[in-house]
Amino acid sequence: MIKNAKFIFSTLLLGALKIYAQTGYIKGTVKDQATQETLPGAIVSIDSKTGVSTDIEGNYMLAAPAGSYTLECRVVGYTNSKMPVTIASGDTLKLDILLKNANQLLNEVVVSAGRFEQKLSDVTVSMEVIKPALIENKNTTSLDIIMNQVPGVIVSDGQASIRGGSGYSYGAGSRVLMLVDEMPMISADAGDIKWNYIPLENMEQVEVIKGAASAMFGSSALNGVINMRTAYAKDKPMTSVTSFFGSYDAPRRSSLKWWRGSSQNQSGINFSHAEKIGRFDLVLGGHMYNDEGYRYLETEKRQRFNANIRYNFKKARGLVMGVNTNMMNTRGGLFFLWQNADSAYIPQGYTIQRYNNQRFNIDPYINYFFKSGGKISLRTRYFLTNNTNDTHQGSRAELYYSELQYQKRFRKEFTITAGAVYMEQVVIADSLYGKHSGRNIAGYVQLDKKFGKLTASVGLRGEYYRVDTAYTRGYINSKINNLPFQPVFRAGLNYHALEYTFIRASFGQGYRFPSIAEKFVNTSVGSSLKIYPNSALQPERGWSAEVGIKQGFGIGGFKGFLDVAGFWTEYTNMVEFVFDIYGPKTGLFYLDKNYAGFKSQNVGHGTINGLDVTLTGTGKIGPVNVSLLAGYTYMNPINPNYNPAKDTLGLPGLKVLKYRNRHLFKNDIQLDYKKFSLGFSTRYYSPIENIDRRFTQSVLHEYNTPDVNWDNAPSTYILPGLKEYRAAHTKGDWIHDLRMSCQVTKIVKVSFIVNNVFNAEYTLRPGDVRPPRMFIGQLNFRF
């Protein structure tokens, strides 16, 4: 038996050595041909069969029997590479692969649509991409400013709306979800977006999804998603410092100018540094800003610092750990409504709320990349908002977020993404909200597959939300309801019809649970207006669908695409911010403006349909390099169940949803010639047709009580002069910006920017006239 065992062992050993002798290896690094940056996540395969994914440093290693093969390498956004290779027995072939960047025309890379890298032309939904160059060229100091340059998007007083999906809400709730690195960046108490907190100095790109995206991102993604991807260090260190100084010009109407002297000023500085130190990736950024304000008492000072730190393990290849953080202090004055139309830059009562706020988040995470191409990640976030003010109604809100996600990219372009989310909210605001807590638990799965020229995507999510004792009661239809969670579904198709023609269709459901602020806020704004609580506020649901076509084109060296989409959105149990008189309905008590205010209410059904057209491109026309982003959006936002006898909150006889524009036009063009650049931006907003009727109506109009002494009655208009102001502004508003720059050296660039070139006077909501013309000088150092 011992002899037999030795014989068997010797036979197996010789067989293994023979197999080893017949096996060869090929290894190397995949890099960008132009920049020599390594490319993690590239798929390297032999004869389209055996394949591996490059690690975080772009390295790969393959084993195969001796012989001749075709080595193929592919990564999203780059031209595929194929080359013949011969592998000898027992040898290791060293072969680095250089890929050509294909990020022109329709090969822009995005991640938000499916949570993995894919070409913009392959996604099944409408998306827009904003690059850091546009942010810098326009001297953007807060993300909401540049969002107003994106086709189909409008941000009014901090409230984002995509294709008319949202109206007006003051500092509470949002149907558009703000993400930073695919994790929610909304406050735990108000559920709103802190636009000036987003670290623009550390930005890779901003991706905007138009339409319901709750299936992948949960509550608050009812109307769309804005995802800012932060930057990571490249192989070459990079430092950028930008300083600027600006002055507000006098308004066109002399009655609006309240300040003495020539102008009010604005100044600031941004910096960022990215570098690889051994196996560490380090990115640092900062921002300082001081605005004297164009409105009386409304000032702002802020300081922000952020850092991204990532470590790539050597012995445990594929393992990456990191932490991102951002912190900011801001203080100033908060303007809400004008004193009257002739003093539109003066706050009501000549008083303003003074605030001092702190924001802080820290995001530890861990990723593991499998050699076979899969990835598992655990991402967490702690987000603190601490608000104090001179009305003694401060708040402290903490958000704890964690997400476990698994993703696998199989052969034949099939990707599965699955994950689980756990989030908690803790709010302490004794005189503003009280003490409250919330909890969100969700699970999701999405499948993406290419069938030749057809790309298909389908996703499903289960969402459970709880605030205090109110919790999710899932609804599908009248027979299937009161579920312990809310199911949310999405599906989409994209067909590559011709070389540069892509036809898509998508459907997505949305769901939003009311924020703590919407349900429990109890405060005053300005000298008299109140914001009332509504603890009975219910979740809102909806869906959006679209059919679109993306057509690529080329004119000489200029290449771009035209995107046309028809969309339809439906909301049920819709939440709107409603202005009314919430006090007694008789006598002088009713006329007292102390009873005037806002309250979040479920107002019923809403339908928005329309057309969205976008034109983008880049390239040379003759010796001039041209970059273009333009778009037109038509929206028809209505209440399909409008009843003039019951629906009396808006202006009489109008079934149009409140605070929406029917027409939006956006355009930005940049011309670069040698060291010189010239840019021009345009925005058009059609008039808002419907608003809360109380803003334009005297309360005496409806409640003419006989026993009231009208001589002693207080002022009966909440916004004096608004009715006449709206009558004088019926054609909409055109706003134009101009910029010029010179690249003095490889390091130094000088720019001059004029915002609102023609000094137009315009509003995006009642009682809020926007800034006059502004002149800005900018100095940028990059090395």
Side-chain angles (χ1 to χ4, degrees):
M1 290 182 63
I2 294 176
K3 290 182 179 180
N4 290 337
K6 290 182 177 179
F7 174 77
I8 293 172
F9 176 77
S10 300
T11 302
L12 292 174
L13 179 61
L14 290 173
L17 291 173
K18 183 177 181 181
I19 292 173
Y20 177 79
Q22 293 176 348
T23 300
Y25 296 88
I26 181 170
K27 69 177 184 178
T29 305
V30 180
K31 299 180 180 180
D32 183 300
Q33 186 180 60
T35 66
Q36 295 298 302
E37 297 286 343
T38 56
L39 299 176
I43 303 299
V44 183
S45 60
I46 292 177
D47 287 348
S48 300
K49 296 178 180 178
T50 303
V52 296
S53 177
T54 57
D55 62 20
I56 197 66
E57 296 175 317
N59 298 319
Y60 74 95
M61 186 171 185
L62 275 169
S68 296
Y69 303 95
T70 297
L71 183 72
E72 181 177 2
C73 182
R74 55 186 173 85
V75 62
V76 177
Y78 288 81
T79 303
N80 290 353
S81 172
K82 291 184 178 182
M83 65 186 76
V85 294
T86 300
I87 301 176
S89 298
D91 286 347
T92 299
L93 177 63
K94 179 71 167 63
L95 182 62
D96 292 339
I97 304 172
L98 301 178
L99 297 182
K100 184 179 180 181
N101 193 318
N103 277 351
Q104 295 181 5
L105 192 56
L106 303 178
N107 292 305
E108 189 75 63
V109 178
V110 296
V111 299
S112 300
R115 290 198 165 187
F116 65 95
E117 289 190 342
Q118 58 187 143
K119 294 179 183 179
L120 180 59
S121 57
D122 286 340
V123 301
T124 61
V125 296
S126 289
M127 285 189 68
E128 306 291 351
V129 178
I130 300 298
K131 292 293 187 179
L134 184 61
I135 301 281
E136 180 183 302
N137 291 340
K138 290 180 66 66
N139 196 65
T140 304
T141 56
S142 182
L143 183 61
D144 55 325
I145 298 174
I146 201 64
M147 284 298 102
N148 273 319
Q149 199 61 56
V150 177
V153 180
I154 184 171
V155 180
S156 174
D157 206 14
Q159 183 74 23
S161 175
I162 299 177
R163 293 174 171 173
S166 301
Y168 172 68
S169 177
Y170 179 70
S174 176
R175 292 194 183 107
V176 176
L177 179 61
M178 181 72 220
L179 304 174
V180 175
D181 292 328
E182 300 180 55
M183 289 188 291
M185 188 62 81
I186 57 175
S187 60
D189 52 355
D192 66 337
I193 303 172
K194 309 301 184 186
W195 297 100
N196 61 4
Y197 181 65
I198 307 302
L200 298 181
E201 61 276 8
N202 182 17
M203 181 189 115
E204 181 71 26
Q205 67 182 29
V206 176
E207 300 169 4
V208 181
I209 298 178
K210 300 178 179 181
S214 293
M216 283 298 287
F217 299 103
S219 182
S220 293
L222 188 64
N223 182 217
V225 170
I226 300 171
N227 181 28
M228 195 201 87
R229 297 164 54 190
T230 57
Y232 278 100
K234 306 296 191 298
D235 291 340
K236 181 180 178 181
M238 178 64 68
T239 301
S240 176
V241 180
T242 301
S243 63
F244 61 90
F245 180 86
S247 295
Y248 294 103
D249 197 1
R252 180 179 292 183
R253 273 199 297 157
S254 59
S255 64
L256 299 187
K257 184 184 175 184
W258 55 267
W259 59 84
R260 297 179 180 179
S262 58
S263 64
Q264 295 288 98
N265 299 322
Q266 181 186 102
S267 60
I269 185 169
N270 305 317
F271 81 88
S272 65
H273 175 76
E275 182 178 1
K276 288 188 174 184
I277 304 174
R279 306 194 72 81
F280 280 96
D281 294 346
L282 175 66
V283 180
L284 301 175
H287 167 78
M288 296 183 68
Y289 176 77
N290 181 30
D291 186 7
E292 295 179 353
Y294 64 94
R295 297 191 280 208
Y296 182 60
L297 298 178
E298 185 186 46
T299 62
E300 183 181 7
K301 291 184 178 181
R302 62 178 181 253
Q303 304 85 37
R304 183 172 65 227
F305 175 78
N306 48 80
N308 288 8
I309 304 171
R310 182 172 69 177
Y311 183 75
N312 306 307
F313 286 82
K314 184 176 182 179
K315 293 184 178 180
R317 288 197 174 273
L319 181 62
V320 180
M321 296 182 67
V323 59
N324 301 341
T325 187
N326 189 24
M327 59 198 75
M328 184 182 77
N329 182 79
T330 179
R331 60 190 185 277
L334 190 62
F335 182 100
F336 185 52
L337 296 175
W338 68 32
Q339 175 71 9
N340 56 63
D342 291 329
S343 302
Y345 287 162
I346 304 293
Q348 281 198 357
Y350 287 83
T351 61
I352 206 166
Q353 182 187 104
R354 309 302 303 181
Y355 63 84
N356 189 347
N357 301 333
Q358 293 81 42
R359 317 266 186 253
F360 170 75
N361 73 276
I362 184 167
D363 308 341
Y365 65 91
I366 180 170
N367 297 329
Y368 183 74
F369 297 85
F370 298 96
K371 291 182 179 180
S372 59
K375 181 183 78 169
I376 188 168
S377 61
L378 175 63
R379 292 175 292 187
T380 63
R381 169 168 290 162
Y382 170 75
F383 182 28
L384 168 69
T385 58
N386 186 50
N387 305 319
T388 58
N389 54 54
D390 59 0
T391 64
H392 307 292
Q393 287 193 316
S395 67
R396 178 185 175 90
E398 297 175 276
L399 182 145
Y400 301 85
Y401 180 90
S402 59
E403 180 177 0
L404 180 65
Q405 183 188 98
Y406 174 76
Q407 189 173 90
K408 172 67 174 177
R409 304 188 72 170
F410 297 90
R411 298 176 189 173
K412 298 183 179 180
E413 300 187 82
F414 172 55
T415 302
I416 180 171
T417 305
V421 172
Y422 181 83
M423 182 174 71
E424 283 200 3
Q425 301 151 291
V426 178
V427 176
I428 302 174
D430 292 335
S431 60
L432 183 63
Y433 311 127
K435 297 181 180 180
H436 302 279
S437 62
R439 178 176 297 174
N440 177 213
I441 303 172
Y444 63 87
V445 62
Q446 175 155 313
L447 308 176
D448 295 89
K449 179 74 171 74
K450 294 198 75 170
F451 302 91
K453 293 185 176 183
L454 181 67
T455 300
S457 178
V458 60
L460 181 66
R461 185 184 185 100
E463 186 91 0
Y464 171 82
Y465 223 107
R466 185 184 188 99
V467 172
D468 295 342
T469 58
Y471 58 89
T472 297
R473 291 177 172 87
Y475 178 90
I476 298 179
N477 54 44
S478 58
K479 295 183 179 180
I480 306 176
N481 53 45
N482 206 28
L483 299 174
F485 64 91
Q486 177 63 46
V488 186
F489 173 77
R490 72 165 298 270
L493 297 172
N494 185 309
Y495 182 66
H496 190 171
L498 300 172
E499 184 177 6
Y500 297 119
T501 304
F502 302 83
I503 302 171
R504 68 180 183 277
S506 65
F507 170 86
Q509 294 178 316
Y511 171 77
R512 190 180 77 85
F513 202 88
S515 67
I516 289 173
E518 288 173 289
K519 292 171 71 71
F520 302 110
V521 65
N522 191 356
T523 187
S524 297
V525 179
S527 60
S528 58
L529 293 183
K530 293 184 178 297
I531 300 180
Y532 293 93
N534 184 0
S535 59
L537 196 65
Q538 297 299 307
E540 55 183 345
R541 298 174 176 86
W543 59 264
S544 64
E546 73 164 50
V547 176
I549 181 171
K550 191 184 295 289
Q551 177 62 57
F553 65 90
I555 303 175
F558 181 85
K559 296 180 180 180
F561 63 82
L562 174 69
D563 190 286
V564 181
F567 59 89
W568 191 290
T569 301
E570 296 268 357
Y571 291 129
T572 57
N573 224 23
M574 184 170 61
V575 175
E576 292 280 270
F577 208 46
V578 178
F579 180 80
D580 205 351
I581 309 297
Y582 292 99
K585 295 289 195 291
T586 59
L588 286 176
F589 291 104
Y590 184 75
L591 298 178
D592 189 346
K593 288 192 291 186
N594 286 328
Y595 290 106
F598 289 94
K599 181 190 289 187
S600 294
Q601 297 186 25
N602 295 107
V603 298
H605 198 65
T607 297
I608 305 107
N609 52 54
L611 184 71
D612 197 8
V613 182
T614 303
L615 180 66
T616 62
T618 184
K620 285 196 170 184
I621 299 178
V624 179
N625 191 73
V626 181
S627 298
L628 175 68
L629 172 62
Y632 165 75
T633 308
Y634 167 75
M635 296 155 288
N636 182 35
I638 63 170
N639 175 2
N641 302 322
Y642 176 73
N643 183 338
K646 296 181 179 180
D647 298 317
T648 59
L649 296 173
L651 297 179
L654 292 180
K655 66 177 181 179
V656 177
L657 297 177
K658 294 182 299 177
Y659 303 108
R660 267 81 167 183
N661 311 83
R662 281 192 187 269
H663 305 275
L664 296 176
F665 175 76
K666 311 289 183 69
N667 176 67
D668 185 89
I669 186 169
Q670 171 94 5
L671 308 175
D672 301 311
Y673 176 71
K674 295 183 178 179
K675 295 183 178 180
F676 301 96
S677 297
L678 178 68
F680 191 76
S681 297
T682 298
R683 299 176 298 284
Y684 170 75
Y685 307 96
S686 67
I688 294 176
E689 298 178 27
N690 197 4
I691 64 174
D692 288 291
R693 68 185 177 96
R694 294 295 184 198
F695 276 135
T696 61
Q697 185 182 69
S698 167
V699 293
L700 298 180
H701 174 82
E702 200 167 339
Y703 294 95
N704 196 354
T705 307
D707 59 348
V708 171
N709 181 359
W710 302 116
D711 293 334
N712 296 326
S715 172
T716 59
Y717 285 96
I718 301 300
L719 275 175
L722 177 62
K723 187 174 182 179
E724 295 76 14
Y725 191 92
R726 283 174 53 82
H729 296 78
T730 60
K731 296 182 179 180
D733 298 300
W734 289 90
I735 304 95
H736 307 278
D737 306 328
L738 178 69
R739 60 186 184 268
M740 298 170 284
S741 67
C742 176
Q743 191 73 45
V744 181
T745 69
K746 291 183 178 180
I747 296 176
V748 181
K749 185 176 78 170
V750 178
S751 304
F752 179 67
I753 302 158
V754 185
N755 290 332
N756 194 359
V757 172
F758 300 111
N759 210 11
E761 181 182 324
Y762 68 103
T763 65
L764 296 181
R765 67 159 175 87
D768 181 24
V769 176
R770 304 308 300 157
R773 178 168 47 220
M774 188 177 201
F775 303 99
I776 304 170
Q778 184 193 78
L779 183 62
N780 175 259
F781 300 88
R782 191 181 302 274
F783 51 91

